[in-house]
Amino acid sequence: MLQQVNGHSSGSDAQGRESLREDLQEFLGGEVPLHQLDDLTKVNPVTLETVLRCLQARYTADTFYTNAGCTLVALNPFKPVPQLYSPELMREYHAAPQPQKLKPHIFTVGEQTYRNVRSLIEPVNQSIVVSGESGAGKTWTSRCLMKFYAVVAASPTSWESHKIAERIEQRILNSNPVMEAFGNACTLRNNNSSRFGKFIQLQLNRDHQMTGAAIQTYLLEKTRVACQDSTERNFHIFYQICKGASADERLQWHLPEGAAFSWLPNPERTLEEDCFEVTREAMLHLGIDAPTQNNIFQALAGLLHLGNIRFADSGDEAQPCRPMDDGAVRTSALLLRLPEDPLLETLRIRTIRAGRQQQVFRKPCSQAECDTRRDCLAKLVYARLFDWLVSVINSSVCADPASWTTFIGLLDVYGFESFPHNSLEQLCINYANEKLQQHFVAHYLRAQQEEYAVEGLEWSFVNYQDNQTCLDLIEGSPISICSLINEECRLNRPSSAAQLQTRIESALAGSPCLGHNKLSPEPSFVVLHYAGSVRYHTVGLVEKNKDPIPPELTRLLQQSQDTLLKVLFPADPEEKSQEEPSGQSRAPVLTVVSKFKASLEQLLQVLQATTPHYIRCIKPNSQGRAQALHREEVLNQLEACGLVETIHISAAGFPIRVSHRTFVERYASLRRLHPRAPPDPHSPSPDEGHSEGSPHAEQATLRALLQDILHTLPALEAATPAAPAGATPAPVHCGRTKVFMTDATLELLERGRAQVLEQCARCIQAGWRRHRRREQERRRRAAVCIQAAIRSWLTRKHIQRLHAAATVIKRAWRRWGIRMAFLASKELDGVEEKHSSQAPRSPSSFPPPLAQTKLLRAVTHLWPLGLVLANAAVGVHGFPRKLVVFACLQLPVGSPSGYTVQAQTAQEQAGIMSIRALPQGSIKFHCRKSPLRYADICPEPLPNSATGFNQILLERHRLGHV
């Protein structure tokens, strides 16, 4: 293991690295190009040098994500890469059957956590720890993960649910710009450094849809409001209101163009984060209306003017210091809506309660104390405002506890920090990183090795870097750095920086992680962290840990007429009593270190109850330039995060661990591929000697089943198409209670299980289809029988109806025919009788008989009936027939010599075929309908009978004789 002193390796280690680089040059020349290695475990040998070369090759090829066993390494590109985080790419990783087969990406980790939640693998809740130095890209990574979950975890069915989900997702995403504006700042290493830690809990319902979120913050660096380095900046929100306010808002907030503020260094620098409209729009979406926003920005402007208040020493301890600029006091009081005189008095005069009677003494403050009280007032207002914003965001995005069942946590904490001047903030930040590193070591490195040893597996232990010694130095019991600082706070006495340094060095001299820097001109102590040594200055350390809030400052803010400050500082009697405890019953002071330690322990309990996933963010260079990777800086980060040890264990170990029972339950179907031989009746049974139902019998049965399943692995490897001949068997080991295997073995078992399940599915499908076909055939035959019976019944009914109808029609037809015949005969008889009595006699003709006269009169008007009678086969013959013809043609009876009637004598019995008259001129033929009603109707016509109107053909020709 390489030993580091103050972040640098020794000379022998440097020579070893140089020789190793030369040895690896030839080895790596013939291998696969390094930029194509998606997993650092494939690098051989696994050393810092080879890992660095692989990362550098991939970074040059614009490939910024690389797997390192169970960890994802993310390199900050320091340039916009929009296609790398597009919604289309998110959906591609979400829809992929095996996302781990795609290129490494933060979306792979996000999809893995989401699928673990959906598959209900214990523990169901997931967490992602994003760690790295300041400026390595932790905030951007957390932001992209939130966008990924907002895209993939929102697929409601109804339109109303879709609108609700969209509103929740938009609020969750809008919390990012608000939190970054009020909690991030530009530092030496990062333009958008998070000055607080946050744990975002994305809440999912039973349908695995995002229903809300909850944000928990840790240790806001509120001292940045009043104290900034000359090369750094204050929180982003102060620069946003100064650059983005309108003319009316500048006039209202007293922020003229070009105004200088002591607490606003480097205002000329323009960053991407200085976008005021984005922050205002996000606050509006979170439910913070325009009047409330105006109150917030007005209070922030008041803090800026508060920082311009300077005090001059009065020279007399009995006299308070006088302000150097009354305008700053007046403007600050106006913006904070505080009374001017009480504000000035509170900043310059301290109230002391002493004695059993709690007598009040007023003591003027020195110039330094006035500045401290002014800074304390600004920090108090900003801290309360930040906490109020977090509560507003939570109330806007947090779901009802009954509506969500699981969550995915995103932990974005400050990275390891080491500046020229480090104080209590850096000590707490690095302490948190030490705890997270220990959690990572315990979860992945030490737990794996110890589990291998407990399960009886042969294992060559890796000397991982354990930071428990450093944690004992910081938080150990009974004596540690934190306990000594808290003790100084409880003593309630003036504490010098040199005295605190002496106490720490003398009480903790035996700790190997405590260093000494005797050449430092300022009192300080050195802590050897896992990421390097850091020197902490003891000046002001105790005062920052106390974080004293004078009661008169709180009472002053409670007098404000501003609606926002009234919410932030309510007039609570209980709070007042707590702020002014009696001397006899004074409770222990809750220091900053104690509160931070308690919140950190609570966070670690949440992480331990979830399945953690780790993303290690690496900062390629400290200048923030794209396509530039500084080897020394990256090497220090790789050594600090223990990445090489992680790769060693992940590559040489068995990341898949399954209990015997779970393994048998899942892969028992593989025994179909390797049928067992019939047991020998003379051989003892596995559970012989154990009572039925005992743990030993159950374990023996499970072991027998395990052996049967593992015997199928050679057959599975032989059946694999891509398996080369003579390949080594898949590495799998059976421990005492678990089965250990690699990803390749798991993939092989899953492939065999899928094959067996496919065969079983085919058998089930064949049996089901056969059953379905039989059922369908049976139903078809039954349907045919039913259809035949119904059709025969319908046919019989139809024939019966037709037969009945035909009978009715036949009966009616016969009745009608008889009636018609009767009416025709009756009508004919009546007409003949009428005409026989009224017919005139012609003087030129001999008198006909009585019968002929009646017949002639009848047919005179009924010529169609006359045609019928004339054409009949039987009837009147001779002259009566001619009279009928004459009557039909309406010819004069007395002069028949002018007309010739031609008839076929041969067919006289069949009736007249045609009648031809010799016209004397133009002939017009007129057809008249028979006056008889039934003359044209014949129910039963004969083929040779003439019915209705007969066709009469009249031709014009010369008169002749027959």
Side-chain angles (χ1 to χ4, degrees), residues 194-446:
S194 297
R195 308 317 302 162
F196 69 103
K198 62 176 178 291
F199 181 72
I200 304 174
Q201 189 182 72
L202 303 178
Q203 300 160 349
L204 307 176
N205 59 11
R206 295 184 181 275
D207 297 329
H208 311 108
Q209 299 169 3
M210 191 183 302
T211 59
I215 301 176
Q216 185 176 359
T217 59
Y218 303 95
L219 192 64
L220 173 69
E221 190 186 11
K222 57 185 179 181
T223 56
R224 183 169 291 271
V225 177
C227 182
Q228 311 87 24
D229 191 85
S230 59
T231 57
E232 297 184 348
R233 299 204 319 174
N234 208 326
F235 290 104
H236 293 322
I237 188 62
F238 292 104
Y239 298 90
Q240 290 181 3
I241 62 175
C242 290
K243 296 180 180 181
S246 63
D248 295 338
E249 291 171 342
R250 288 181 180 277
L251 185 62
Q252 179 183 359
W253 302 336
H254 297 272
L255 297 175
E257 291 281 354
F261 296 98
S262 301
W263 290 350
L264 207 66
N266 304 312
E268 69 282 353
R269 295 181 60 181
T270 302
L271 301 179
E272 182 183 356
E273 290 75 20
D274 297 340
C275 188
F276 191 39
E277 292 301 325
V278 174
T279 304
R280 301 186 75 163
E281 184 178 358
M283 295 174 69
L284 191 63
H285 288 161
L286 290 173
I288 305 175
D289 54 10
T292 306
Q293 292 183 27
N294 185 73
N295 292 339
I296 293 174
F297 302 140
Q298 180 177 328
L300 294 177
L303 295 184
L304 289 178
H305 287 281
L306 184 66
N308 286 345
I309 300 177
R310 292 290 182 268
F311 296 95
D313 193 0
S314 62
D316 186 2
E317 294 183 357
Q319 299 296 326
C321 298
R322 59 181 181 84
M324 300 177 62
D325 185 6
D326 293 335
V329 179
R330 187 179 307 107
T331 305
S332 177
L334 178 63
L335 293 175
L336 296 175
R337 302 191 66 178
L338 294 171
E340 181 179 352
D341 294 337
L343 171 62
L344 191 59
E345 180 182 354
T346 303
L347 295 179
R348 297 187 303 169
I349 299 177
R350 182 176 56 176
T351 302
I352 302 175
R353 295 179 181 271
R356 294 185 177 181
Q357 289 77 19
Q358 292 292 303
Q359 297 180 359
V360 179
F361 299 93
R362 298 167 58 85
K363 178 182 179 182
C365 299
S366 63
Q367 180 182 2
E369 291 176 343
C370 290
D371 293 340
T372 302
R373 294 172 73 87
R374 176 204 60 200
D375 296 347
C376 182
L377 179 64
K379 292 187 293 184
L380 178 61
V381 172
Y382 195 83
R384 291 282 184 96
L385 176 60
F386 185 81
D387 294 339
W388 177 81
L389 280 174
V390 174
S391 65
V392 169
I393 294 174
N394 284 332
S395 63
S396 176
V397 301
C398 188
D400 185 16
S403 64
W404 61 275
T405 56
T406 57
F407 70 86
I408 299 176
L410 297 178
L411 179 60
D412 177 14
V413 293
Y414 3 64
F416 185 83
E417 292 185 351
S418 178
F419 299 118
H421 183 84
N422 302 285
S423 187
L424 184 67
E425 294 82 8
Q426 283 69 41
L427 179 62
C428 294
I429 289 173
N430 294 337
Y431 166 53
N433 281 272
E434 288 282 355
K435 294 289 288 186
L436 292 176
Q437 177 66 16
Q438 186 193 43
H439 178 264
F440 173 76
V441 170
H443 187 269
Y444 277 109
L445 306 183
R446 185 172 58 198

